[in-house]
Amino acid sequence: MKKSISLLLSAIMLLSVLMIAPVTANAGGVIEIPVIDDTPSAPGNSNLYTDDGKKIFDVLSPTESGAYTTGKPIDLKMIAYLLPENAVTNKPNTMYAEIAFNGVTVKNYIFTVNEADLNTVYTDKFVPEAIGTYSLRASYGGGVYSTLEGGRHFISFDFKVSADNATVSGAKKSNPIIVKPKSKTVKAKSLKKKSQKVKVLAIKNPKGKLSYKIVKKGTTKSIYKYLKINAKGAVVIKKCKLKKGTYKVKIKVKAAGTKEYFSGGATVTAKIKIK
């Protein structure tokens, strides 16, 4: 009797071990459990990995810790490992990157990726002229064209460019321009009668001639068609009927630079309140 009970207990223990032990093989061989790398390749990443830890795309160059100098080309390298989650059937997928300095875009590069192009390193080049910190933002998404805002997957980081020792004595300086938006109020009754002009920008220390542009994406749609900006940076609202409320106006400001300073600028969003 004791022997039977002992055999029964042994069988139960063996069955318990089999039930909790992980499966390591099947008819096809060993099952590989993916290792998830939780460390992003750069700060500012969004949805860079799939749920099972596979990286979707990457910027191989430049890097946040790279050593770069003025006047020397920087290799721009991007790679897609997988199709994006929002891939569109029979349409190309787009990797897009933007390099900016002092708020001004100095380089855009766009690569079209189909399934056959996965794991291909796409390359371009960029020659930095100014000393300072550059920002890189990249996106990867489905469709014919994917902007930074429209892409599904993102990478963003800053990298620094120092002076080339051979040219440091004659190197230009970064443009010290500072641009800040202001809020202004316009009466709806006055706007029905004639155009209204408002100054919504505060600009300090620009080096070089200033230019302005109203950016459609980021400006409230219902007011955009009534706007223009003059050579002095004042926003003109054409005679129209607008509902009372607060409207956003996105403006790109650029200082052309001088012999001593590079061009620079910023893109800011001001607010105009119609009451």
Side-chain angles (χ1 to χ4, degrees):
M1 182 68 176
K2 290 183 179 180
K3 185 175 181 181
S4 299
I5 293 174
S6 177
L7 289 173
L8 180 60
L9 290 173
S10 298
I12 291 172
M13 290 177 65
L14 179 60
L15 181 61
S16 299
V17 170
L18 290 174
M19 289 177 67
I20 63 173
V23 179
T24 58
N26 61 10
V30 176
I31 296 176
E32 295 183 1
I33 301 175
V35 177
I36 299 178
D37 181 6
D38 291 324
T39 305
S41 61
N45 291 343
S46 175
N47 296 329
L48 187 54
Y49 293 86
T50 61
D51 292 339
D52 59 357
K54 295 178 181 178
K55 187 178 286 187
I56 298 167
F57 88 117
D58 205 358
V59 175
L60 304 179
S61 177
T63 62
E64 186 179 13
S65 59
Y68 309 106
T69 57
T70 55
K72 294 183 179 180
I74 296 175
D75 288 329
L76 309 177
K77 296 182 179 180
M78 297 181 71
I79 186 170
Y81 300 107
L82 303 169
L83 289 179
E85 292 179 3
N86 61 335
V88 180
T89 306
N90 299 324
K91 289 187 178 181
N93 305 284
T94 306
M95 286 193 298
Y96 174 87
E98 173 194 77
I99 294 176
F101 181 74
N102 279 355
V104 177
T105 300
V106 293
K107 178 70 176 180
N108 285 322
Y109 53 116
I110 304 169
F111 303 118
T112 299
V113 180
N114 291 297
E115 190 169 6
D117 305 315
L118 296 178
N119 298 306
T120 298
V121 178
Y122 289 82
T123 63
D124 202 334
K125 287 187 182 294
F126 159 67
V127 180
E129 296 180 346
I131 302 166
T133 301
Y134 291 71
S135 64
L136 184 145
R137 296 189 300 162
S139 74
Y140 177 44
V144 176
Y145 182 73
S146 178
T147 65
L148 291 172
E149 291 78 13
R152 181 69 66 83
H153 311 286
F154 304 89
I155 296 175
S156 66
F157 59 88
D158 294 337
F159 63 94
K160 293 183 178 180
V161 173
S162 58
D164 181 3
N165 293 331
T167 60
V168 66
S169 61
K172 287 186 178 183
K173 301 176 184 178
S174 302
N175 204 304
I177 183 173
I178 299 174
V179 183
K180 292 184 178 181
K182 297 192 295 184
S183 298
K184 291 291 181 178
T185 300
V186 175
K187 291 183 179 181
K189 290 182 179 179
S190 300
L191 194 55
K192 288 179 182 179
K193 295 177 181 179
K194 63 177 183 179
S195 298
Q196 300 294 310
K197 185 189 298 183
V198 290
K199 293 183 178 180
V200 294
L201 298 172
I203 302 174
K204 294 182 179 180
N205 303 323
K207 300 298 180 182
K209 185 178 179 180
L210 290 169
S211 59
Y212 312 89
K213 180 183 178 182
I214 294 177
V215 182
K216 185 175 183 180
K217 192 165 188 178
T219 297
T220 304
K221 186 177 180 180
S222 57
I223 199 175
Y224 176 75
K225 62 182 178 180
Y226 300 115
L227 299 177
K228 68 177 182 178
I229 191 164
N230 63 25
K232 294 184 178 181
V235 173
V236 179
I237 311 172
K238 299 176 185 177
K239 177 182 174 181
C240 63
K241 293 181 180 181
L242 284 173
K243 294 181 179 179
K244 294 181 181 181
T246 301
Y247 298 80
K248 293 181 180 180
V249 182
K250 192 173 183 179
I251 303 170
K252 185 174 184 179
V253 182
K254 183 178 180 181
T258 65
K259 291 182 179 180
E260 296 180 359
Y261 293 90
F262 285 101
S263 62
T267 300
V268 298
T269 301
K271 293 181 180 180
I272 297 177
K273 185 175 182 180
I274 308 295
K275 70 173 189 177

